[in-house]
Amino acid sequence: MTIVSDMGIRRMEGRPFEDILDGYFPLRESIRQLLQRQGFGAMWITLLHAPFMKIEGLAEDAPVPLHLRKIYSGMIDHMLLLAFSTPDGMGLAGTGDWIFVDSREEHDLFPDSIRLGEPAFVRGVGLINDCDAVDQVNDFAPLAFLAPGAPVPSGDEVRLSAIQYLGWQAGKCFALKAADLGIRRQVGRDVQTLPFGSDHRGTETSWDDWPLPMPEHLRPADWLLVNASPDQVRRQSLEVALRL
């Protein structure tokens, strides 16, 4: 298979990860803290089944009250999000679906100033920086960006060709797509195949059913590849990679 010779491959330093998104803070602030805590320059995360709340009279930048009476105003069904550092803060983009208790508050653009009603589990992939040198101990790159030429190959072709080129034994492949800033409503997709949402081992999915939003500064790239080789040094990263 000669697809790799016609595509640009950029090795990336980063890792799959799992963490807890802080509750009670505005969603945007909770994500910013997570990005900083993990030491990433950019990350993709999936958020599932998270209640949110509005506290009347509480400013967006106000601290969490010591005594908080929870009043849930809705539920996030799912979100696939991209967060990335910028010179003046953080960019946030993605898609998802949600419901407000009060239908008058429904919008197709989710207000990221709304506070999560409780901590939420997230799984995803984070980028630390661009790297050209692979790990000298195990000769592997944790992640890679791929930019195939025309004609565009299928996800199976990309995965099989690229992991052979990179020297991996196995890998996970995700399509990438340019996205505008903001969290936009997207319905009609099978949430069971949502990237990072659940354990997909043995699940038949289409590679581009759920393309990951792609930041401008990391283009051009059409695919993200995650190392899932069983012999890699970072055992925890491998365990999470197998659950992506």
Side-chain angles (χ1 to χ4, degrees), residues 3-157:
I3 294 171
V4 167
S5 63
D6 299 321
M7 70 169 69
I9 291 192
R10 187 155 40 121
R11 304 175 190 271
M12 304 297 293
E13 178 62 36
R15 64 182 183 276
F17 73 102
E18 295 172 335
D19 206 332
I20 302 296
L21 203 58
D22 294 332
Y24 316 129
F25 292 93
L27 177 61
R28 183 181 187 85
E29 175 60 19
S30 294
I31 293 173
R32 187 197 66 79
Q33 291 179 14
L34 175 62
L35 186 70
Q36 184 179 55
R37 181 168 69 246
Q38 288 284 348
F40 294 143
M43 67 181 182
W44 292 274
I45 57 172
T46 289
L47 174 65
L48 293 171
H49 312 309
F52 55 84
M53 62 183 179
K54 291 180 66 178
I55 306 175
E56 296 298 334
L58 186 66
E60 292 181 15
D61 57 352
V64 179
L66 292 177
H67 301 285
L68 183 63
R69 177 171 172 262
K70 291 186 179 181
I71 303 177
Y72 295 129
S73 59
M75 173 73 76
I76 294 170
D77 181 76
H78 65 272
M79 285 183 176
L80 177 59
L81 303 175
L82 161 72
F84 56 96
S85 297
T86 65
D88 57 352
M90 183 189 75
L92 183 61
T95 58
D97 196 16
W98 52 85
I99 185 171
F100 280 81
V101 173
D102 186 346
S103 61
R104 294 172 297 181
E105 298 187 68
E106 288 283 1
H107 298 284
D108 287 337
L109 191 66
F110 188 82
D112 59 21
S113 60
I114 283 185
R115 297 175 183 245
L116 292 178
E118 56 191 44
F121 173 81
V122 295
R123 180 184 293 132
V125 175
L127 304 177
I128 297 175
N129 51 46
D130 198 352
C131 65
D132 296 318
V134 298
D135 188 296
Q136 296 301 317
V137 176
N138 203 36
D139 191 30
F140 85 104
L143 308 171
F145 278 145
L146 315 176
V152 177
S154 70
D156 279 319
E157 292 173 321

Side-chain angles (χ1 to χ4, degrees), residues 38 43 57 85 111 173 180 188 208 221-222:
Q38 288 284 348
M43 67 181 182
S85 297
C173 184
D180 296 325
D208 53 2
D222 296 315

Side-chain angles (χ1 to χ4, degrees), residues 4 7 9 146 157-167 225:
V4 167
M7 70 169 69
I9 291 192
L146 315 176
E157 292 173 321
V158 166
R159 182 176 62 87
L160 293 173
S161 184
I163 63 175
Q164 181 181 17
Y165 177 86
L166 290 164
L225 207 69

